Amino acid sequence: MKKFTVIARPDEISEELKHRTIADLKMAGYEYNPDWPDYCFVIGGDGTFIYAVHSILRKHKKNLDKVLFYGIHTGTLGFYTDYLDTEYEEFMETFLSGAYEITTYPLLQVEYDTHKHNAINEIRVENSARTQLIDVYVNGEKFETFRGTGLCVCTQLGSTAYNRSLGGAVIQEGLDFIELTEMAGIHHSKYRSLEAPIILKGDTELEFRSPSFHDAIIGCDADVYRIDEVESIRIHICQTASVHMIRGRKVSYFDRLKSLF
Ligand code: NAP
């Protein structure tokens, strides 16, 4: 019997839809099993979707590839969802009829010392306490020395999130790129780095080195880790896991984008 879990934003509408989803899926012969799900239904917004991916990653990192995520938005249109809460019937019918496509999205991975973490939107190295110096290497080649608050590396899907607030370019869906954007870089006669966001091929390996990451953190979407004693950080697309999403109704990318502003 196929198993499912439901992760909902803690608000009244999302919680109500969660109970309805559980009841309808059980009625259709699926087993509610939050520990070993084949399907993860996500009810909320893009932020809830990211939370759901991280909670499955935390529980069963090796099994992320076996889970299909399916989202319904209880706000405006999102990038991780194709339905609004008012379209619940269509959302459920599409799933039960199997008339959907599965799209795979890459995860970013950061590695330092013995640690590995993943992100679906972006990985940030930031220091709000002092000026952070970072030597940036692209595929092993020294590119620049950055000074400022930090650097953000995002996926195509994450380009509309934090990256956009930093002045990064939005990357259209279907393009296999990552993007590196500065967070409050210092640019004057003594210090200079690229300043503009740079879009890189999806298989690029970035390395950030610094004489000191004291007081700096690594942000992986909403998760944060201290890196005081770390000397080198490598960021690339994860080769061992990705996120598989059920995509039902076709929604124009530009309609999603328009709903952002
Ligand atoms: P959150 O409250 O879950 O999300 C913050 C906002 O970012 C929400 O409005 C969320 O949309 C939106 N969002 C998330 N992913 C998006 C995407 N790929 N494209 C467009 N909008 C997106 O915040 P959180 O849990 O702290 O962090 C999760 C993510 O939020 C981070 O990965 C980061 O990208 C983003 N964030 C952005 C800023 C900023 O722009 N200054 C600050 C903090 C966090 P929904 O309303 O649909 O959930």
Side-chain angles (χ1 to χ4, degrees):
M1 190 190 287
K2 288 284 189 188
K3 304 177 199 62
F4 72 96
T5 188
V6 184
I7 294 179
R9 187 166 52 198
D11 63 58
E12 208 178 316
I13 296 174
S14 306
E15 286 295 334
E16 205 182 298
L17 269 193
K18 175 178 174 172
H19 295 306
R20 197 169 161 193
T21 304
I22 293 173
D24 287 349
L25 287 171
K26 279 183 173 174
M27 186 92 83
Y30 291 83
E31 180 190 324
Y32 181 57
N33 187 328
D35 290 329
W36 295 103
D38 300 295
Y39 302 102
C40 179
F41 284 71
V42 184
I43 302 171
D46 287 340
T48 319
F49 200 95
I50 290 155
Y51 172 83
V53 169
H54 280 270
S55 59
I56 298 284
L57 262 172
R58 263 189 290 274
K59 272 191 185 166
H60 319 288
K61 186 158 189 158
K62 294 212 172 73
N63 284 309
L64 184 74
D65 272 307
K66 297 190 182 133
V67 179
L68 291 179
F69 291 84
Y70 190 37
I72 185 163
H73 208 299
T74 50
T76 53
L77 209 53
F79 287 90
Y80 294 93
T81 50
D82 301 327
Y83 299 93
L84 299 177
D85 53 329
T86 47
E87 300 162 328
Y88 172 82
E89 279 83 8
E90 192 186 341
F91 166 78
M92 187 51 76
E93 269 166 35
T94 302
F95 175 75
L96 294 176
S97 68
Y100 53 73
E101 285 177 8
I102 296 166
T103 308
T104 298
Y105 294 94
L107 280 175
L108 280 169
Q109 180 154 294
V110 59
E111 296 184 36
Y112 55 94
D113 298 342
T114 55
H115 302 279
K116 283 185 191 174
H117 307 294
N118 296 104
I120 182 162
N121 268 347
E122 78 278 314
I123 292 175
R124 309 172 307 275
V125 175
E126 53 184 307
N127 194 330
S128 54
R130 61 195 81 248
T131 301
Q132 183 62 54
L133 184 149
I134 304 176
D135 288 326
V136 178
Y137 290 77
V138 179
N139 295 327
E141 185 182 338
K142 170 83 184 284
F143 172 58
E144 65 176 5
T145 298
F146 166 86
R147 287 174 186 82
T149 299
L151 292 168
C152 173
V153 182
C154 74
T155 57
Q156 178 273 318
L157 267 176
S159 68
T160 44
Y162 210 133
N163 170 72
R164 191 174 78 99
S165 303
L166 295 172
V170 168
I171 303 173
Q172 192 181 359
E173 67 180 343
L175 297 176
D176 175 24
F177 293 131
I178 59 171
E179 183 169 352
L180 173 68
T181 309
E182 295 188 358
M183 306 168 85
I186 300 172
H187 307 100
H188 54 45
S189 54
K190 276 203 289 184
Y191 302 143
R192 195 136 284 282
S193 51
L194 181 66
E195 194 170 1
I198 180 167
I199 296 175
L200 300 156
K201 290 199 281 185
D203 62 358
T204 302
E205 160 103 8
L206 287 166
E207 186 184 2
F208 298 160
R209 292 188 206 162
S210 180
S212 170
F213 281 115
H214 188 64
D215 284 337
I217 54 111
I218 285 187
C220 297
D221 301 333
D223 294 347
V224 166
Y225 309 92
R226 289 201 67 119
I227 48 166
D228 298 75
E229 306 302 327
V230 174
E231 289 174 4
S232 162
I233 295 157
R234 292 168 313 287
I235 300 175
H236 48 221
I237 293 294
C238 178
Q239 298 302 318
T240 51
S242 35
V243 178
H244 305 288
M245 276 160 60
I246 291 180
R247 307 251 54 166
R249 200 181 47 169
K250 291 257 181 299
V251 182
S252 143
Y253 179 72
F254 292 95
D255 279 344
R256 292 183 206 272
L257 204 51
K258 276 190 282 181
S259 74
L260 261 190
F261 57 89

